[in-house]
Amino acid sequence: MQDARLYSLSAIFQTPDEIAHAAEQTVERGYTAFDVHSPYPLHGMPRAMGLKASKLGYVTLVFGLSGAALALFFMWWVNVIEYPLVIGGKPLFQLPAFIPVTFEVTVLMAAIFTVVGMLFVIFRFPNTSHQLHDTPYMKAVSSDKYGLTIQALDPLFDEERVREFLQDLGAVEIHRIQFDAEEIEARPRIFEPRFVTLLILVALLVGPSTYIILNHVLYMPPFDWMMEQQKINPQMKSELFADGFGMRSPVEGTVARGHLPYPFKGQPDLAGKFLVNPILPTESVLELGKKKYDTFCSPCHGNFGDGDSRLRGQFPNPPTLHSDKSRGWSDGMIFHVVTEGQNIMPSYASQIKERDRWAVVHYVRALLRAKHATEADLR
Amino acid sequence: MSFVDYSVEPPVVEGKPPLSSIDDAIIKPIDAKPTKAWFVAIAVSGTMLLIGAASLAVTFIFGVGMWGVNQPVGWGFDIVNFVFWVGIGHAGTLISAILFLLRQRWRTGIARFAEAMTIFAVMCAGLFPLIHTGRPWLDGYLMPYPNQHGLWINFTSPLVWDVFAVSTYFTVSAIFWYVGLIPDFATLRDRTVSRIKKIVYSILSLGWRHSNRHWQHYEMAYLILAGFATPLVLSVHTIVSFDFAVSIIPGWHTTIFPPYFVAGAVFSGFAMVQNMLIGIRKIYAIEHIITIDHLEKMNKIMITTGMMVGYAYGMEFFIAWYSGNSAETFVFFNRALGPYAWAYWTMVICNVVFPQLFWFKKIRRSIPAMFVIGVLVNVGMWFERFVIVVTSLSRDYLPSSWGFYVPSIYDIGILIGSFGLFFTLLLLFVKSMPVVSISEVKGVVEGAQPSHGGSH
Amino acid sequence: MSRTEETRYWRSLRDLADHPEVAQLKSNEFLAGVTDESDVADLSPVSRRTFLALLSASAAFAAASCTNYRDKGEVVPYNKQPEEITIGKANYYASTCTGCSANCGILIKTREGRPVKVDGNPDHPVNAGKLCVRGQASVLDLYDPQRLRTPQFKGSGGGFAEGSWEEADRTIMSQLAKTAAEGKEIALVTHTVTSPTFRKVLDAFMARYPSSRTYSYELFSDRFRSNAWIRSYGSNGAPVIRWEAARTLLLLEADVLATEGDVLEQIRSITKNRDMNDPRHFSRIWVAEAGLSLTGMNADHRIRLKPGAQFEFVMGLIHEVAQRRKLSAISPETSVVEAIGQYPLAQVVARHRLPAHLVEGLVNGLVSHRGESIVFAGSTLPEEVHTAVILLNEVLGNTGLYDQRVSRVQYSSEATMEDWVLLVQKMREGKIGAIVHVDANPAYHLPQELRYAEAAQRVPAIVTLTQRENESSVISTIVLPINHAFESWGDFKTRTGQFSLQQPVIEPLYATRQKEAILLHWASGSTTQPDASSYHRYLKKRWEEEVYPSIKSPVAFSRFWHAALHDGLLLHSEKPIARGQFIINADWLQPLWRETDQFTVLVRPSQNVGDGRYAENGWLQEIPHPVSKVVWDNYAAVAPQTAKSLGVENNDIIDIRAGERRLQIPVFVQPGTAEDAVVIEHGYGRRTAGPVGTDVGFDVGSLMPVEIRSTPYIFSAAVTKGSGSYELVSTQEHHALDDAFVKDLHLKRKIIREGSVAQYLNTPDFIQKGRHEPESITKILEYDGVKWAMAIDLNKCIGCTACVASCVAENNIPVVGKEQVELGREMQWIRIDRYYSGTPEDPVVSNQPMLCQHCDHAPCENVCPVAATNHSPDGLNQMAYNRCVGTRYCSNNCPYKVRRFNFLDFRNDFADGIYAEEPMSALYNPEVTVRSRGVMEKCTFCIQRIMEARQVAAEEGREIRGSDVVTACQQACPADAIVFGDMNDPQSKVSHYRAHNLGYHVLEEINVRPNVTYMAKLRNRQTENPA
């Protein structure tokens, strides 16, 4: 029981030569779980302790090379595969331009992994609770003394004989290093209340602050993401105009280029007389007409102009287009009605472009004709 | 010391102090209460830092328009300072890495401090690329990740190379420095009696135990890092010089830039280290650890690099004439005779003329003289960057778009601020960490190594 | 030793059982997986659940925090969408520009019913689709936040208070009635009236208030020319000249390419004869002037001549020509012959130290091209010069160049200086009951010597109709805000057979009325307020009753009217006023004014701010002066020699005194200025213009004489070096012309390549010699499909900067202000580089529009760290604004320095953020990003127009063609010097230009492969090209 609590016997030596000699002796005696401590690296000590050469270099090599490969591949992938862009008229893969970055990444990875490998893998650092810490032994060796430690778990370890051995080597002091008592009583507590409250506090702190920063602070001047620009896009509000409409209507009585006003306002008969369909009923025109008719006309007039509203009488149903009256109408007349509307039917001038309106007229004609096909048509 | 015998290598550490006394010498200033001098110093540097912060705030709020930059001179103090500070940084790595590889034992005394300087200088340098952008809050775009439209960064841009180079340089230097510090932290940990310091040092030392099983890997790692830092330091300033060399602006588009910049960097860096050390060794009374021989050696390096730089100046003119390219020729005549001639000649006198005094041993070994020259060299090297950046831009191809650059007070404020940051960090460093590598120095004290343990 | 003496700070959290394995385990420090030991059963399940709960809670928190709830604004559709509007598509309205009395036809581009850009009306015979700088910029005035929004009443304290229109009309009409009743005069001050309907309104007004009288004027009118004409020919006003027919042009102090007459027409027809594809018919332009003008820059030969010497010069020429060939064309009385006889050319040349060989060549040219040459004198020159010029043209038999088919018409007679003197006299005596400033600003325009403002204090009622407060409004009792031209109706007629119509494109933004409507209302005397369309009805009615019948149109009036509005003009056959028989009188050839040995001051109109009415327009203030490149100022231009003798340099203040009159103004040493002459532009130094225009430059009005007999624009004065200096800012650094260090760099570096016509005829490929394709280490990318390119013909480009204005308007380019320009931060995407070579006395000027060259090997792209600028598949060097972080590296690496950086938020920075105010948002082109601070920008070849063309092509189911796209600068160029299109289309004009013998690229040797080709300028100097 008592022995189990012993970690090691550690001896202090005065001079580098003594410690070097001691190390060699220890190896001869066949101790394996031993270590030499000195405030600075002692040359020749690894040999004296019979250590093999450090393998650290291989770590460096592997990670350095993989860094180079990674960087080069990454840049190739970005510029050639992921988002090819012509930059300065150069080819997509520009090896010379990629060399600097490749080099830097190589060095970075090599350096980081060498040190990480050494400290955290080989040394298993951080370890601030090693038995040797805070012992007079450690204080001595970290300043100006040289120390030799033989661990209790060494198969050859026998406290008395080790003590003698060390004294023979000329140790000035010998310390018994033991595991400390408190550690044995220590119970595992993964959720200490302090830790839990900390978590909660962090959450409470991080949440709101992130929200405020992301959604408010970052939109205060001087931050400018060009999301809101000093211009009026279509369908935007504008403070400039009293009614707030960013989009304005043209002044009454003005004429825009290519938009001569409809000449037969309120004169259906004139329209019927003078207006002639300027386009020919080609297939594409009829297609266009059908598209527009189905979109704008069919909701009321029905798909085939029978006046069977798809809106099922939410509005008064319009008369069928196949009445003799409407069949008698000239193209111009139909165009006029589409343009100006009549009775309860509104004007479709702003929804359907002029040319499209004429196409619709053609399509309606086709509908009428389909319904009242003559022998000639069938042939 | 009127006579020095150069035939024998002078001892790195004068006398044969007991190892524990080295601890005391180096650690005393850390444990002791800060002196009045230190408080005065930190007050001054702090004020400078605040001036910089204020100027920076104004710039951030209103835009880089607060500076003197314009069309055609799109870069001014910002990039000049960037290159200047990166240059300063290089001396540290050179001393700690290259001299280490060259087995220059005299470096041990000054390496730690030089490395610290490297890190702080690179911090100052790294600041400028970040603040010189028009929309600093978008600096993240310089990182290699795609934006919402899947657009990546442009790997052919020297600025991207800078990002990689400077960040790598900073990281590696920091690691190098920290690895060097671990054993010293352990020593501090085992010395101190204050509980707080104990906790801090224990964490910093990661539980280092001076074990020789560790020392073995440790030395290997140190060697590898040094091996990497050496090409790295060369690459960094090469890449910085690419910012200019890769462009097509006459006066920038020059193949001589990489070596020229590296030499210049070492030049200014050593000047800075030398200046700083002169102060440190006096204040800490560690003249026996950082000896006059160290300083002299540094002066020798300064005169060498200074002459390299001078050669570059001459060569630029020769090539400009030899190339027969009228635009090229014009730019260099414009440097020497144009509106910025004053800057050019300041540069030449400070960088080429004054260092020649180091031919005289007396001056090489005279503290005040070398200090003054060191300061002049730094001034000169700053102006070198100014000449390269500003004069080339102010008069390039089309005479119609020529311009003139005048720095604003905010430019100057930020320059001051960068020095403030540098000195503040330095002062905090000397108060909180061993300015000299304890374990290394112990290792080179006479008789510190086993007699049969073979020596280097 | 015991544990107690070994004090331990450090505790392990790990479980420790009492057996050796654990000890060993411990000695080996951590193994992988710390928790292998810990038994899950030991742990209380609650705590685990709490843990999970916490985990999810924090996750939820994080999720919530990172979401973005910001209000993205609301969508406001049309209530009733107008038929002609398709959202996202522009509409165009034909109208008329009222910026000056030329009244060019314009085409206003509107988006969702908001005017955003204005260009020339292609159908208009005078400007044929082009528009000058001022016209281009007039759209800014519409949205100018400084516009008055309500009627203003002067309070007792002198300050102005807002009021209602009712109140205004009531008070004014009663005052007018009262004045009329008292028989006191009502003075209506207007600019030249070019609108027949407005004339009718004025007549109606005067009919109602009989005691009223109109004073119409222009700061710079051509009254001397037309007076001379009326005298010599009896017809009214000067003729329209067929410039395109002239082989030799002699322009005397006449800036016909910038400020004189119908500029756009003149540019078009004069540059027609500078066609590189027809070098044999190159015209030769001679200019004799004091100050280097835009026209002077483009002359083949320029003779520096003080204004006072012009008369002798012309007489000398007449004398010489008469010597050469008998005055057969006309037969004057002996008195005239004697008058001419006093001026042998040799003497004139000797007296004014003129270059004899040049004058010799000039005479040869005039004589050999008689009948197809023209001599033209500027409107600032006194009457006798114009008379002499008429005579000279008669002698040369050039009358054929006077257009017979059309003659000018005017609806107002110019108020002479005498009229003004009398008016002011009567004002002092209190004989003037009321003054109405109808959109005119006499308080600024009249010579200060006249003391108009002071006299105005004796006038009980002064009403000013204006858009913005000005010098005349501040001395008024009531100020009425009027519509901008884009909110107004109107018709104009400047020439026989040409009606030009004006229609509004947006409802008035504020409670304003158009000036015609206001006067009409007063004339009607009705007490009910007029509605918005009152003048619309009036105009339409007049047309229906007066114009329509006279045209005898076959279609119904409504159709006729709408067609006229649609076209913006009405062309009909109308007999021009015939030119009468030429008469000449020796008395008319006596100089009324001779210059003294003092300095001669010449006051000239400004191209950008006009007569000062555009002083408040930031765009125009910032567009560089075409010659000096000075912005935001006027100055006293003097010759280098004169500057030396005065001991002054640029920016030094000089003190100009003429009797009581005095002006202190900075000097600008302008190469090419005549010695002992001081040339100053009017239109600056506005005392009340608004935050943008007030006190910009110096007011020459304080120096102008009240000259009754002769011209007020030319007078003698004493000039001395004043005290202090004043910073003049120009966009182009000035280099001493004689500094060998920088002299002729633009030629040495082959930035400018020129030759003579003769050289071109002999060796057409003289430019191509020594041109070689630079090697490229990488494979040159092939572009299939459309590849955009531009070509600029330097033979046509005169440097008028109309392209700059158009670009500014199209691409939402901010105004930065004088201070920022001084720092070198102007934002215009296209600039006109001006290079001097030759001597400081007689500089040879080369212009070169410089814009992004869209290089195939763009150096800017390589260095951008974030790939914000890169190449499009159709060969454009494109900018992704929202990707740009603003490192300015691209700009540094641009050999042409055409990139522009938003160093500050200029809209907020300039003039206390006046251009960040609400109205401006309506001005900006919705298709173009409004760049924030910290963003790099540059010419995009009008990518938005290219995209629009693509859309149209897609709708029509075809590939886009190069000819589908017209860039803003190209559209504006009055000389059609800019060609844009698809270089991969062998038929396209641009690919012809690229292959042309005169085509070259700037800085070819650096192998950036620019896509803007410049066509080398050919000069037609008599020395190199005899005959």
Side-chain angles (χ1 to χ4, degrees), chain A residues 2 145 224 287 332 376:
Chain A
Q2 190 68 358
K145 298 285 185 290
D224 190 338
E287 271 309 311

Side-chain angles (χ1 to χ4, degrees), chain A residues 87-288:
Chain A
I87 303 272
K90 292 207 177 68
L92 292 178
F93 184 73
Q94 317 176 22
L95 186 57
F98 292 166
I99 286 169
V101 173
T102 314
F103 175 80
E104 297 301 330
V105 176
T106 314
V107 173
L108 188 60
M109 295 223 2
I112 289 179
F113 282 97
T114 308
V115 173
V116 168
M118 174 180 78
L119 291 177
F120 303 111
V121 180
I122 301 178
F123 296 175
R124 300 235 179 80
F125 279 173
N127 170 14
T128 53
S129 59
H130 192 275
Q131 288 64 38
L132 287 174
H133 286 150
D134 309 298
T135 56
Y137 172 77
M138 180 52 64
K139 292 190 193 302
V141 295
S142 74
S143 168
D144 55 355
K145 298 285 185 290
Y146 311 90
L148 174 64
T149 292
I150 300 180
Q151 291 187 26
L153 54 86
D154 188 295
L156 306 180
F157 186 83
D158 171 86
E159 184 164 2
E160 290 316 313
R161 295 183 38 220
V162 171
R163 192 179 286 276
E164 276 169 28
F165 168 63
L166 293 173
Q167 272 157 350
D168 299 348
L169 288 174
V172 286
E173 298 168 30
I174 298 178
H175 299 268
R176 277 182 105 251
I177 311 290
Q178 295 174 303
F179 297 114
D180 64 359
E182 292 84 338
E183 287 182 7
I184 299 153
E185 282 78 47
R187 302 297 314 148
R189 315 246 318 278
I190 293 186
F191 295 112
E192 295 181 29
R194 293 222 302 283
F195 172 66
V196 173
T197 37
L198 180 75
L199 270 183
I200 295 170
L201 283 179
V202 168
L204 288 177
L205 205 70
V206 169
S209 51
T210 338
Y211 176 82
I212 290 165
I213 290 170
L214 286 184
N215 299 318
H216 298 286
V217 177
L218 287 185
Y219 291 92
M220 295 193 286
F223 296 100
D224 190 338
W225 314 90
M226 282 195 276
M227 284 174 177
E228 283 116 19
Q229 297 172 15
Q230 190 193 5
K231 64 179 185 180
I232 304 177
N233 282 338
Q235 308 202 331
M236 251 174 63
K237 221 164 154 299
S238 168
E239 301 306 322
L240 171 57
F241 307 101
D243 56 13
F245 282 84
M247 299 196 295
R248 313 306 298 168
S249 297
V251 182
E252 187 57 41
T254 58
V255 180
R257 277 288 163 116
H259 292 282
L260 273 172
Y262 182 61
F264 301 108
K265 280 199 164 47
Q267 301 161 311
D269 35 8
L270 284 183
K273 193 140 17 80
F274 294 114
L275 276 179
V276 284
N277 198 330
I279 55 175
L280 295 173
T282 64
E283 189 146 341
S284 61
V285 167
L286 284 172
E287 271 309 311
L288 180 67

Side-chain angles (χ1 to χ4, degrees), chain C residues 420-470:
Chain C
W420 290 116
V421 174
L422 276 166
L423 174 65
V424 172
Q425 186 58 33
K426 284 186 280 181
M427 284 160 73
R428 286 224 180 70
E429 294 161 356
K431 292 191 184 136
I432 305 291
I435 300 179
V436 184
H437 298 137
V438 186
D439 197 12
N441 187 5
Y444 170 73
H445 288 144
L446 294 175
Q448 283 179 27
E449 196 181 21
L450 207 54
R451 300 235 178 66
Y452 179 84
E454 182 190 310
Q457 293 164 354
R458 304 290 313 281
V459 181
I462 301 181
V463 183
T464 299
L465 282 52
T466 180
Q467 283 177 48
R468 251 176 249 96
E469 68 165 359
N470 59 27

Side-chain angles (χ1 to χ4, degrees), chain B residues 60 65 67 74 157 243 397 400, chain C residues 749 825 833 863 888-889 933:
Chain B
F60 186 82
W67 298 349
S157 165
D243 284 348
Y397 288 107
S400 62
Chain C
R749 295 182 179 183
R825 296 170 180 175
D833 288 348
V863 296
R888 309 186 291 291
Y889 198 173
R933 76 110 145 153

Side-chain angles (χ1 to χ4, degrees), chain A residues 17 32 34-38 40 43 52 54 60 74 82-83 94 97 104 115 127 134 142-143 222 224-225, chain B residues 23 138 150 152 156 161 187 190 198 206 209-213 215-217 228 232 235 442 448-451:
Chain A
D17 290 337
T32 49
F34 76 98
D35 199 349
V36 172
H37 300 95
S38 57
Y40 55 89
H43 297 122
K52 287 187 245 66
S54 168
T60 317
F74 176 67
E82 166 66 359
Y83 201 128
Q94 317 176 22
E104 297 301 330
V115 173
N127 170 14
D134 309 298
S142 74
S143 168
D224 190 338
W225 314 90
Chain B
D23 287 356
L138 292 181
W152 291 77
T156 67
W161 304 346
T187 309
D190 295 331
K198 183 99 183 171
L206 297 172
R209 292 196 302 281
H210 301 289
S211 150
N212 270 279
R213 292 178 183 274
W215 278 123
Q216 178 201 21
H217 295 297
F228 270 113
L232 179 61
S235 82
K442 284 178 183 168
Q449 296 298 346
S451 44

Side-chain angles (χ1 to χ4, degrees), chain C residues 759-775:
Chain C
Q759 192 179 9
Y760 181 52
L761 289 172
N762 300 338
T763 49
D765 61 347
F766 71 102
I767 291 292
Q768 306 306 326
K769 291 210 165 67
R771 258 188 95 189
H772 66 286
E773 186 70 7
E775 298 289 322

Side-chain angles (χ1 to χ4, degrees), chain B residues 60-62 65 67 69-71 74-75 78 132 134-135 154 156-157 209 243 247-249 396-397 400 402, chain C residues 733 735 749 823-825 833 861 863-865 884-889 891-893 897 899 901 903 933:
Chain B
F60 186 82
I61 292 166
F62 297 106
W67 298 349
V69 286
N70 60 16
Q71 309 283 351
W75 285 346
D78 43 5
H132 94 291
R135 299 195 289 172
N154 172 16
T156 67
S157 165
R209 292 196 302 281
D243 284 348
S247 81
I248 61 166
I249 298 302
D396 65 346
Y397 288 107
S400 62
W402 285 357
Chain C
E733 206 188 341
H735 316 289
R749 295 182 179 183
L823 288 168
R825 296 170 180 175
D833 288 348
E861 296 174 2
V863 296
C864 174
C884 175
V885 298
T887 65
R888 309 186 291 291
Y889 198 173
S891 158
N892 290 345
N893 205 26
K897 289 287 175 285
R899 288 179 158 263
F901 186 66
F903 287 92
R933 76 110 145 153

